[in-house]
Amino acid sequence: MDHEHSGLTVPNLITVARLFLVPVIVWLIGTEAYAAAFWLFVIAGVSDGVDGFIARHFASRSDLGAYLDPIADKALLVSIYIALAMVNEIPFWLVIAVVSRDVLIVGGVMLSWMMDRPVPMQPLLVSKANTVAQIVLASVVLADLGLSSELTPIRNLMVIVTAFLTLLSAVAYLVEWLRHMTDGDDHGQGEHTS
């Protein structure tokens, strides 16, 4: 039986700890301590899997966690992308694309709330693939810099893959958002699920 908790659960504490890692990793990148940044990024990634596992298998899901977890993930990825762009290790245009996509999605969700037509918060498959690509790119860049792994060809490939999935994901969300918002006009207050 799955219980919903309202307070700080163990998964939520792990998520908060991951949030505290964000400025540390950014500082490590800024000071060119790339190996330490890589290992902390790995720890942050593992903690994301651990808090999700605990929430699912030990009845520790909460409303707070449902909002906190994606915020922590986005804060980590966006901050690392900006930091890596500032030291010229990933292209600025890719950071602009990644941030613009997130702003588009958040803006759409807020607008739907304001119009009293909240969008169901269900990640699309292409969005999950995009997140994986973003994580892999950040990991590869940090490993290349910190562990001298000679991963330049993989870095270049992942920049292209991440850019493609970011654009595809933005378009997919826009299409779903428009479909959701126009369904109400045609069918009254009918629920839209996809």
Side-chain angles (χ1 to χ4, degrees), residues 11-170:
N12 291 347
L13 291 173
I14 294 172
T15 302
V16 169
R18 189 161 72 253
L19 270 171
F20 279 110
L21 283 180
V22 172
V24 178
I25 295 172
V26 169
W27 177 76
L28 290 170
I29 292 170
T31 56
E32 299 184 5
Y34 297 118
F38 170 76
W39 289 115
L40 273 188
F41 184 62
V42 169
I43 290 170
V46 170
S47 77
D48 189 22
V50 169
D51 66 30
F53 177 83
I54 294 173
R56 285 190 302 272
H57 292 85
F58 293 93
S60 298
R61 291 182 178 177
S62 69
D63 291 337
L64 176 62
Y67 289 99
L68 199 58
D69 191 61
I71 289 171
D73 293 344
K74 282 299 168 193
L76 180 64
L77 279 173
V78 169
S79 298
I80 285 176
Y81 269 54
I82 292 172
L84 288 173
M86 294 297 289
V87 293
N88 297 313
E89 294 297 341
I90 60 172
F92 268 105
W93 60 261
L94 181 60
V95 177
I96 292 169
V98 167
V99 172
S100 297
R101 170 196 170 273
D102 291 343
V103 169
L104 175 74
I105 292 171
V106 171
V109 168
M110 290 177 66
L111 184 58
S112 70
W113 284 349
M114 290 167 62
M115 296 176 69
D116 201 25
R117 292 184 187 171
V119 178
M121 296 301 289
Q122 297 173 334
L124 302 175
L125 184 59
V126 67
S127 175
K128 292 180 180 179
N130 180 45
T131 300
V132 170
Q134 289 181 13
I135 293 168
V136 170
L137 175 58
S139 301
V140 167
V141 172
L142 290 173
D144 192 24
L145 294 169
L147 309 178
S148 302
S149 303
E150 299 299 328
L151 299 173
T152 302
I154 299 175
R155 283 174 64 168
N156 294 337
L157 174 63
M158 287 310 303
V159 165
I160 295 168
V161 170
T162 303
F164 173 74
L165 288 174
T166 297
L167 178 61
L168 193 62
S169 173

Side-chain angles (χ1 to χ4, degrees), residues 5-9 12 62 64-65:
H5 298 273
S6 57
L8 269 183
T9 60
N12 291 347
S62 69
L64 176 62

